[in-house]
């Protein structure tokens, strides 16, 4: 019997399903408080920790530090692990990660020095997309249509020395990404182990952004196999047990990755008619919480067996 700690979240109460499923499978689940001063002493009594941490700034920053520390030196298995969580809701980190892994994405430039950012703005092809490092559901993402708008972003991102301390974590850089026209939707592919779910996310009215539109189309025949393949490849290269991948089409028709995240909304999958295992579509209701738990327990069992050898 495994003893699993679970950090609850009022906005995403997936812990309720995990508690009932752990009990049904002969394991013990306990709700914990990761913010308690003695949490690290208490977690030693557990075999694993599940925290479906949302992209809210305070929770995100606590989770990234705490889970990485446990995964680094503790025998407690954590979800998400370091490979999945260190770049969570961090578009700067994702840019470097995707580029280093050779995963195709729109041309992206990161400038840490104002002079180089200004040189780019003078020669750039417009429009292009600017992004702040953090933000979900298309927050902090904008289309820059001309040099005048670009200069405004430069003033915001590289303020004078007397304003430099204001929200410093989102200042001092420019992240500019190629705008890929002709995409009326993106394809959100979610990979959990060897399974994949997908939907088309239709752009907001009069907008180039699909994330947060709330318009999801789940027809399996509309999902391209190369988008599924690219998302699986990304999950494999990044070593992530779960990965949500946003895919658009380049001007040559090839799939490109915009962003990745271990986190995704389980509830958005309730209307999905099934999932892919390899190239085979498996019809039926999707309860992703169960698949996440299945894979976590399987990894825990393998880890325990390895330590006992």
């Amino acid at each position: 019997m495994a003893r699993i700690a679970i950090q609850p979240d009022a906005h995403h109460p997936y812990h309720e399903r995990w508690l009932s499923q752990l009990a049904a499978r002969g394991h013990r689940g306990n709700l914990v408080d990761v913010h308690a001063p003695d949490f690290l002493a208490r977690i030693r009594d557990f075999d694993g920790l599940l925290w479906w941490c949302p992209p809210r700034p305070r929770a995100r920053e606590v989770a990234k530090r705490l889970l990485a520390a446990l995964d680094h030196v503790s025998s407690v298995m954590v979800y998400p692990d370091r490979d999945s969580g260190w770049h969570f809701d961090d578009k700067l980190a994702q840019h470097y990660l995707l580029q280093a892994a050779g995963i195709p994405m729109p041309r992206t430039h990161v400038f840490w020095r104002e002079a180089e950012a200004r040189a780019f703005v003078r020669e750039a092809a417009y429009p292009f997309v600017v992004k702040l490092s953090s933000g979900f559901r298309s927050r902090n993402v904008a289309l820059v249509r001309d040099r005048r708008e670009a200069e405004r972003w430069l003033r915001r991102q590289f303020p004078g020395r007397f304003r430099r301390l204001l929200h410093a974590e989102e200042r001092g850089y420019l992240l500019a990404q190629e705008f890929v026209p002709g995409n009326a939707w993106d394809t959100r592919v979610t990979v959990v182990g060897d399974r994949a779910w997908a939907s088309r996310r239709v752009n907001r009215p009069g907008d180039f952004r699909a994330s947060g539109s709330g318009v999801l189309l789940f027809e399996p025949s509309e999902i391209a196999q190369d988008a599924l393949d690219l998302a699986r490849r990304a999950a494999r290269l990044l070593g992530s047990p779960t990965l949500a991948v946003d895919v658009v089409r380049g001007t040559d028709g090839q799939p490109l990755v915009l962003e990745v995240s271990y986190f995704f909304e389980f509830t958005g999958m309730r209307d999905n008619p099934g999932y892919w295992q390899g190239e085979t579509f498996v019809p039926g209701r999707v309860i992703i919480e169960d698949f996440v738990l299945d894979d976590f327990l399987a990894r825990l069992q393998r880890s325990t067996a390895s330590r006992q050898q």
Side-chain angles (χ1 to χ4, degrees), residues 59-207:
R60 176 195 66 210
E61 294 309 314
V62 172
K64 289 168 73 169
R65 293 175 171 88
L66 177 60
L67 293 171
L70 288 171
D71 196 24
H72 192 89
V73 297
S74 168
S75 61
V76 178
M77 179 168 285
V78 299
Y79 174 83
D81 58 13
R82 276 186 297 166
D83 287 346
S84 304
W86 73 269
H87 52 85
F88 174 43
D89 194 29
D90 185 341
K91 296 178 181 65
L92 290 168
Q94 290 174 32
H95 158 66
Y96 290 128
L97 180 64
L98 295 174
Q99 188 176 61
I103 296 171
M105 60 187 299
R107 287 190 301 275
T108 304
H109 310 272
V110 173
F111 302 100
W112 295 100
R113 291 188 282 253
E114 183 176 1
E116 292 168 350
R118 289 194 176 279
F120 169 78
V121 162
R122 286 194 297 269
E123 304 296 333
Y126 292 93
F128 62 81
V129 178
V130 293
K131 299 180 177 182
L132 298 187
S133 185
S134 65
F136 66 106
R137 294 178 180 169
S138 292
R139 292 173 185 166
N140 299 334
V141 177
L143 189 65
V144 175
R145 296 174 175 80
D146 53 39
R147 184 171 171 179
R148 182 178 179 182
E149 290 187 4
E151 293 285 351
R152 189 158 57 243
W153 271 94
L154 289 178
R155 289 193 296 273
R156 181 194 187 282
Q157 291 305 104
F158 296 97
R161 60 192 177 107
F162 296 109
R163 296 176 55 201
R164 197 171 296 279
L165 295 180
L166 181 62
H167 303 300
E169 71 280 0
E170 293 293 6
R171 299 294 195 271
Y173 67 87
L174 179 70
L175 192 163
Q177 189 170 77
E178 169 193 13
F179 171 65
V180 185
N183 286 278
W185 64 82
D186 70 11
T187 301
R188 162 60 69 90
V189 183
T190 304
V191 180
V192 178
D194 61 350
R195 318 164 198 88
W197 297 259
S199 63
R200 282 186 176 182
R201 301 188 304 179
V202 178
N203 291 1
R204 306 176 187 193
D207 202 329

